[in-house]
Structure formats: C-alpha cells, structure tokens
Amino acid sequence: MDPNTTQILAKGIAQGAAFLGAGICMGIGALGPGVGEGYTAGKACEGVARSPEQAGLITRTMLIGQAVSESTGIYSLVIALLLIFTT
Amino acid sequence: MSKKMSLKTILLIFFVVELIIAFFFLGKTLHFGSQKDTGKKIWFEEKTETMNQEIDFDIQPDLYVKKNNVDEPWEFTYGSKWLYGKFVKMFGDGSAILNFRLWRMLLYLDIFIILVAAFIRAKSSKLPSKIQLIFEMIYGFIDDLVIETLGENRKHFTQFFFTIFLFIWLSNWTALLPIPGISEPTRNLNVPLGLGFMSIALVHFMSLRKRGIVDYVKGFCEPIFIMAPLNIVGEVSKVISISFRLFGNIFGGAIITLVVSSLTHYVIVPVGLNMFFTMFAGTIQAFVFTMLSLTYLSMEIVD
C-alpha cells in the first residue's frame, strides 16, 4: 500500500476511535451520577414529607450532595471533550 | 469634588470607555504577537473563525499559531530577550495565561463589582432602596450560612465567602450578554483553578495558625506516618475536584447550548437552554463552590 494512504488511514482510525471512546466515556460516566442524584432526591422527598418545616434546609443539603455526586459525571464530560477536540 | 467622588467618576469613565471599545470592535479581534507578512506587533482582524474553532483555540494554542501565521501565540519581546527567556523557562510561553479575552472579561467583571459596591455604599441608608435590599438579602444569606457552619465568633469570614460567591455568580451570568467575543471567565480553566487554589490555601493557612506547626505536620501523618503521601494527594485532589466541578459544569453547559442552538437555527431554544444552564446551574455552582470551601474550612478550624 502507498505510505501516504496508510498515514491517512491511520489518522482516520485514530479519530474514529477517539469519537467512539468519547461516546462510551459519556455513556458509562453518566450512569453513576444519574443513579446517585435520583437516590438523593428520593431521600430528600421522604425527609420533606416527614418534616415539612425543614424543607429549606433539606433542599439546600440535597443540592450540595447532588452537586458533589455529579462531579464524576463532569470528569467524564471533560475527558470526552478532550477526546473530541484534541485528536 | 471630593476625593471619593473623583475616584468613582474615574472608574465610571473607564468602564464606559471599555464598553464603547468592546462595541466598536464588534466582530473584530485584537491580536498580539508578530505577524510574519507585515511584521506588525498588534493588529486587528475581522473575526472569521466560528465558535467551534474558538473552543479549539482555547484548548490548543498551537492551532491558533498555525491559522494566524504567527511565531508564538503571545510573544512579548519588546524588552530584553534574556528576561523573556527566563520568564518562559519559569512559566511556560504564557499562551494559556495571557489570554486577552479572559483578561478583558475579568477586567469588566472586576470594574462592574467595584462600581456596584461603591454606588451601593454611597446610596446606603436606614430606609433601604430596592437594590440595597437585594444585596443585603444575599449578604444575609451567606452570613447566616457562615454563622451556622463556623460559629458566631468567626463572622469575619463572611466577606471572603461573599466575594467568592458574588464573583463566581456574576461571571457565570456573563453568558447572558448577547455580545460576540464575550464569554464566561469561568469557562477558562485558569479561573476556577485559581479560585480553588485560593480557597484551599486559606484553609491550610487558618489550620496552621490554629494548631501550630507541629500539630499541623502531625495532622498529615494521621493514622500512621506511612499514610502521609496519601493524605497529601488527598489535599491536592481537593483543589482539582473543586475547580474541575465548576469548570466542567460551565464549559459543558456552554458547549451544549452552542451545539443545540446551532442545530435548531437559534429559534427560541437558546432561551430555555440559557435559562437552565446559565441562570440555574450557574447559581447552583456558585453556591456549591462557596459551600464546599466553607465546609473544608470548618473541617479544619471548628473543634
């Protein structure tokens, strides 16, 4: 095969692999935060139902917890963006 | 004219001039460096790159070099070349730090905050106006949070956390301005990284001051001294997680807004996207950043 063609082919394969990796990274990385945030929101709902006068505090704490558990999803987003834009 | 008034007037004039410049050079970009064809050091150019390319330039300065045909992204060689070489050796070529757009946005934001603070202080009275009420409400909210977390005798930390909250909040909301060339300062990784480093440095300084140097060093060898490297890595990862959370949220939101808006040809959809990603997520992230640094501080200094 022509070396030039090989080079182009290799570049294309690398780019395709990077896009595929970005998709897989985002798909699997979104699983954990989704489950975690849903669980937190459910527990907060229970808490509000049990003591409605504490609703403000519970909502605030819930948002903090969700933002913290979201961070792994954010990391996977950053890695996916790096894969897409830097190859 | 009193001294106070003249300072405010100068600030106001500066702000207006900056705004006029920003609108006058709408769609043009200011370049530093040395252009190979003409040898100019500073030049204006019609903006031709799309938003996607701009994001590329943010991530990869090499692309900028290739496209604009310059030697180095941001080359300042007016003074001595020797000093410049030393500087480059110490801090890199500065391509990521000397980002003009970021500087401009930070400057606008700082001047805006200073102006608002100065005007509100001048107008403040026992019978508060509407805008004074808004700011007192935000201040009271952060104040309550600090008193709740750190205790009544550490009320003076409110000013630091209020400043951080206001800065991040306003810089997240800059995306609402429909002016090309204006983006959130927090979309650049350098800003969240600096803010996170500042918070963690404050935490460690207060810890050192409270416990003394011996107990501070002992704190790193918590269960046994072999665990010391792990504890140090944990402290470093605090900075990384707190700053990457803010950066990832803002950057991801901006890119999603961009992509979906261009898919729908900018009809109505960007309004909803901006409402969620800029206004809601921006406020939440500013609050989370403040709350987390407050929690880290309270873990170290509250008994």
Side-chain angles (χ1 to χ4, degrees), chain A residues 59-83:
Chain A
T59 313
R60 215 164 63 200
T61 320
M62 183 195 79
L63 282 176
I64 296 287
Q66 284 189 333
V68 171
S69 72
E70 197 186 33
S71 57
T72 48
I74 296 297
Y75 299 154
S76 71
L77 175 72
V78 169
I79 287 171
L81 289 175
L82 283 178
L83 278 175

Side-chain angles (χ1 to χ4, degrees), chain B residues 246-296:
Chain B
L246 180 60
F247 163 72
N249 265 293
I250 302 305
F251 187 59
I255 283 186
I256 291 169
T257 311
L258 213 78
V259 170
V260 178
S261 308
S262 67
L263 279 180
T264 53
H265 297 279
Y266 298 91
V267 181
I268 297 184
V269 181
V271 179
L273 286 172
N274 262 326
M275 288 259 278
F276 179 74
F277 284 112
T278 306
M279 299 179 78
F280 179 69
T283 313
I284 291 288
Q285 287 310 315
F287 177 61
V288 163
F289 192 98
T290 316
M291 192 71 207
L292 275 180
S293 42
L294 195 57
T295 315
Y296 287 148

Side-chain angles (χ1 to χ4, degrees), chain B residues 48-186:
Chain B
T48 49
E49 57 257 18
T50 58
M51 217 55 171
N52 267 340
Q53 278 169 326
E54 263 188 35
I55 293 167
D56 278 1
F57 294 154
D58 270 1
I59 300 171
Q60 294 169 281
D62 327 347
L63 280 180
Y64 183 88
V65 176
K66 230 181 269 170
K67 167 153 187 306
N68 287 304
N69 200 18
V70 289
D71 304 334
E72 274 183 65
W74 311 98
E75 196 185 14
F76 290 102
T77 47
Y78 309 110
S80 79
K81 201 131 189 168
W82 175 80
L83 198 67
Y84 177 74
K86 287 277 175 206
F87 188 80
V88 166
K89 249 185 203 165
M90 260 154 52
F91 300 108
D93 62 353
S95 54
I97 298 167
L98 295 176
N99 191 331
F100 184 72
R101 191 157 48 131
L102 173 68
W103 274 27
R104 196 177 55 182
M105 285 316 302
L106 283 176
L107 195 67
Y108 284 163
L109 208 65
D110 286 347
I111 291 169
F112 180 71
I113 290 175
I114 289 170
L115 269 182
V116 166
F119 277 115
I120 285 179
R121 274 188 83 92
K123 293 263 188 224
S124 68
S125 63
K126 284 274 169 64
L127 283 170
S129 57
K130 270 180 197 165
I131 188 139
Q132 191 189 341
L133 259 180
I134 293 172
F135 276 85
E136 278 183 2
M137 220 172 67
I138 305 171
Y139 189 88
F141 176 66
I142 304 283
D143 202 31
D144 284 349
L145 218 66
V146 169
I147 288 173
E148 207 175 280
T149 321
L150 296 181
E152 185 72 40
N153 55 343
R154 294 195 188 83
K155 238 165 95 176
H156 51 278
F157 281 110
T158 310
Q159 289 132 24
F160 175 74
F161 290 110
F162 180 64
T163 313
I164 280 199
F165 177 76
L166 206 62
F167 180 77
I168 298 175
W169 192 41
L170 285 178
S171 55
N172 286 348
W173 278 36
T174 11
L176 294 175
L177 297 176
I179 307 169
I182 276 189
S183 67
E184 310 96 314
T186 35

